[in-house]
Amino acid sequence: MERHHFEDDLQALKQRLLTMGALVEERAHQAIAALIHRRLDEAEAVIAADKEVNDFQIEIDDRCLKLLALQQPMATDLRLITSAMKINADLERIGDQAVNIAENTIKLLPQPPLKPLIDIPRMADIAEKMTRDSLDAFVRKDAELARSVLTRDDEVDQLKDQVFRELLTYMMADPGTIQRALALILISRNVERIADHATNIAEDVIFLVEAKDVRHGRENEEVEK
Amino acid sequence: MERHHFEDDLQALKQRLLTMGALVEERAHQAIAALIHRRLDEAEAVIAADKEVNDFQIEIDDRCLKLLALQQPMATDLRLITSAMKINADLERIGDQAVNIAENTIKLLPQPPLKPLIDIPRMADIAEKMTRDSLDAFVRKDAELARSVLTRDDEVDQLKDQVFRELLTYMMADPGTIQRALALILISRNVERIADHATNIAEDVIFLVEAKDVRHGRENEEVEK
């Protein structure tokens, strides 16, 4: 296969990763919407859709392996493909977290709402945006955008701690709230993990764009040629 | 570089992954020991050692990238190296979970013990053994051993549910136990995630050894040549 086809294949790979990213982001959004609007059917739809995400992961992994085997790429292209494999794994795990949110939501639904949800949806908004931006940063090789994702992870951690403290107060004041508060705490951890995966993706992008900077001082010249 | 050196490099790569595996397994063991024996110094040592794990991950990733760039391996060797990159990421995240266990332990220590710990140490024993076996399966290309790791993940999930139910009972009976029970629930989730990462590694090994089986029916012939 010629260079021309190789470039097309790399573009197609990026496009598939973006589509996979949009898919898992949509699943996470749907899981949080099921929580907010107390929709059992939506929560079940997220769980049912997991196979689609897994099939997507396998397809993208195959693309990467074939590109590595057939094209024997060097330097930047090589790092692009190995980064794509790692990002693919993180996206699949974001899909897993959407499933976890849906499962925890299903446990909550038989009981009346504990409180209006504010911080968890806010955390989820940030985590979704982080996922989208980390992928945009990958496609555009934009290290600055990737760095902005890393910064936002702290914000998510702070919200997670705030959610924890507030729900702890509920539990201490009224043991009747314990089960619901626990489910919400676990959901906030699921959202936190989505943000962690977006952070992993952003770190991969920074390595891809600025290999020498991230691995401070280590010599990668053999790979760079 | 000749074939001869390439084989040596692959052996060295496997050896480094095993050493990294032993390192993170030891960190997880130390974190659980700190919890059981209520040792602040041990918990702090786990947190302090995280940089060592991260440096290890970077070194192994570099090895993989160099092998891909310089050797342009095909078929099985290619899959071996890309699997090594994925396994490396899972090992690093097992190290992160050891740190999380240590951090949750530090929150527990100022308070008297809630109960004798039985299920969490048992979960941790299984998760550690799963990590070790998944790596042995990788080095020996032993799909059967890898499959046995997958089976044990269910056992860990059952123990996690048991821990959750028991601690919930404590919390409902006495709000004074809520904070400690919560910390223990989070620790049990950290251990569960170690088992999940071992499961990921085992799945990678099965793909490595039996690519066609795992990706049921998909044609990988271009990669196989």
Side-chain angles (χ1 to χ4, degrees):
Chain A
M1 223 181 287
E2 307 128 46
R3 184 76 203 165
H4 177 67
H5 289 144
F6 182 54
E7 288 299 334
D8 289 349
D9 287 348
L10 282 185
Q11 284 307 320
L13 171 63
K14 286 181 190 173
Q15 202 49 56
R16 292 304 278 168
L17 263 188
L18 282 182
T19 309
M20 166 94 165
L23 181 71
V24 299
E25 200 192 296
E26 173 55 29
R27 291 294 164 267
H29 193 82
Q30 192 179 10
I32 293 291
L35 170 70
I36 298 172
H37 306 300
R38 304 180 63 79
R39 290 277 301 267
L40 180 64
D41 56 339
E42 293 284 323
E44 285 172 342
V46 171
I47 296 169
D50 195 39
K51 197 187 168 305
E52 192 189 350
V53 174
N54 293 341
D55 288 347
F56 227 113
Q57 184 194 20
I58 290 174
E59 186 227 290
I60 291 177
D61 234 22
D62 273 355
R63 277 180 192 264
C64 293
L65 275 175
K66 284 183 180 147
L67 282 171
L68 287 174
L70 298 177
Q71 301 291 344
Q72 310 191 332
M74 301 296 284
T76 313
D77 289 340
L78 172 64
R79 288 208 310 269
L80 182 86
I81 298 168
T82 56
S83 302
M85 293 184 91
K86 290 179 193 174
I87 291 170
N88 187 31
D90 278 302
L91 290 177
E92 191 267 338
R93 291 174 198 178
I94 289 175
D96 287 345
Q97 292 311 313
V99 169
N100 289 343
I101 293 168
E103 286 173 348
N104 284 316
T105 294
I106 290 174
K107 284 180 203 153
L108 268 177
L109 291 186
Q111 296 173 280
L114 177 60
K115 62 179 286 293
L117 297 173
I118 295 159
D119 288 333
I120 290 179
R122 205 198 300 172
M123 280 179 78
D125 282 346
I126 301 173
E128 277 173 41
K129 188 70 167 46
M130 287 169 70
T131 306
R132 201 174 322 137
D133 286 350
S134 67
L135 280 173
D136 282 349
F138 172 69
V139 170
R140 287 156 33 193
K141 297 197 177 175
D142 182 340
E144 283 320 299
L145 184 58
R147 282 214 169 75
S148 83
V149 171
L150 305 190
T151 323
R152 282 175 271 167
D153 197 35
D154 295 337
E155 208 179 325
V156 171
D157 280 346
Q158 277 167 19
L159 280 168
K160 177 200 73 177
D161 289 341
Q162 194 168 309
V163 166
F164 186 83
R165 281 192 304 268
E166 189 188 6
L167 290 168
L168 188 62
T169 314
Y170 274 86
M171 293 164 98
M172 309 272 255
D174 174 9
T177 65
I178 288 177
Q179 281 184 289
R180 283 169 290 168
L182 266 175
L184 288 173
I185 287 172
L186 293 180
I187 288 172
S188 76
R189 304 279 157 154
N190 299 145
V191 175
E192 181 207 8
R193 284 174 66 181
I194 292 177
D196 283 347
H197 289 298
T199 302
N200 291 335
I201 294 172
E203 285 170 350
D204 282 337
V205 172
I206 296 171
F207 170 58
L208 176 67
V209 181
E210 307 173 349
K212 296 198 180 196
D213 285 3
V214 173
R215 314 215 155 183
H216 33 78
R218 298 174 65 92
E219 285 303 312
N220 282 314
E221 269 137 33
E222 287 160 299
V223 180
E224 287 296 318
K225 70 183 176 189
Chain B
M1 224 182 287
E2 305 129 46
R3 184 76 202 165
H4 177 68
H5 289 145
F6 181 53
E7 288 300 333
D8 289 348
D9 288 346
L10 282 185
Q11 285 307 319
L13 171 63
K14 287 181 190 174
Q15 203 49 56
R16 292 305 279 168
L17 263 187
L18 282 181
T19 309
M20 166 94 165
L23 180 71
V24 298
E25 201 191 295
E26 174 55 29
R27 290 297 164 265
H29 193 82
Q30 192 179 8
I32 293 291
L35 170 70
I36 299 173
H37 305 300
R38 304 181 62 79
R39 291 275 301 267
L40 179 64
D41 57 339
E42 293 284 324
E44 286 172 341
V46 171
I47 296 169
D50 195 40
K51 195 186 170 305
E52 191 188 353
V53 173
N54 293 342
D55 288 347
F56 227 113
Q57 184 195 19
I58 291 173
E59 184 227 291
I60 291 177
D61 234 25
D62 273 354
R63 276 181 193 263
C64 291
L65 275 175
K66 284 184 180 146
L67 281 170
L68 286 175
L70 299 177
Q71 300 292 344
Q72 309 191 333
M74 302 295 285
T76 313
D77 289 340
L78 172 63
R79 288 210 308 271
L80 183 87
I81 298 166
T82 56
S83 302
M85 293 184 90
K86 290 180 192 174
I87 290 170
N88 187 31
D90 277 302
L91 290 177
E92 191 267 337
R93 291 174 199 179
I94 289 175
D96 287 344
Q97 292 312 312
V99 170
N100 288 343
I101 293 169
E103 286 174 347
N104 284 316
T105 295
I106 290 173
K107 285 180 203 154
L108 269 176
L109 290 185
Q111 298 174 279
L114 177 61
K115 62 181 286 293
L117 296 173
I118 295 159
D119 289 331
I120 290 179
R122 206 199 296 172
M123 279 178 77
D125 282 347
I126 301 173
E128 276 173 41
K129 188 73 167 45
M130 286 169 69
T131 306
R132 202 174 322 135
D133 285 351
S134 66
L135 279 174
D136 281 350
F138 172 69
V139 171
R140 286 153 39 191
K141 295 196 179 178
D142 182 342
E144 284 320 300
L145 184 58
R147 284 215 167 72
S148 83
V149 172
L150 304 190
T151 324
R152 281 175 272 166
D153 196 36
D154 294 337
E155 210 178 324
V156 171
D157 280 345
Q158 277 166 21
L159 281 167
K160 176 200 73 178
D161 290 340
Q162 195 168 309
V163 166
F164 186 83
R165 281 191 305 268
E166 191 189 6
L167 290 168
L168 187 60
T169 315
Y170 274 86
M171 294 163 98
M172 310 272 254
D174 174 8
T177 66
I178 288 177
Q179 280 184 289
R180 282 169 291 168
L182 266 175
L184 289 171
I185 286 173
L186 293 180
I187 289 172
S188 77
R189 304 278 156 155
N190 300 145
V191 176
E192 180 207 8
R193 284 174 67 180
I194 293 177
D196 283 346
H197 287 299
T199 302
N200 290 336
I201 295 172
E203 284 170 351
D204 282 337
V205 172
I206 296 171
F207 169 59
L208 175 66
V209 181
E210 306 173 349
K212 295 200 181 195
D213 284 3
V214 172
R215 316 222 152 177
H216 31 79
R218 297 174 65 93
E219 287 303 314
N220 282 314
E221 269 135 34
E222 289 161 294
V223 180
E224 286 297 316
K225 70 183 175 189

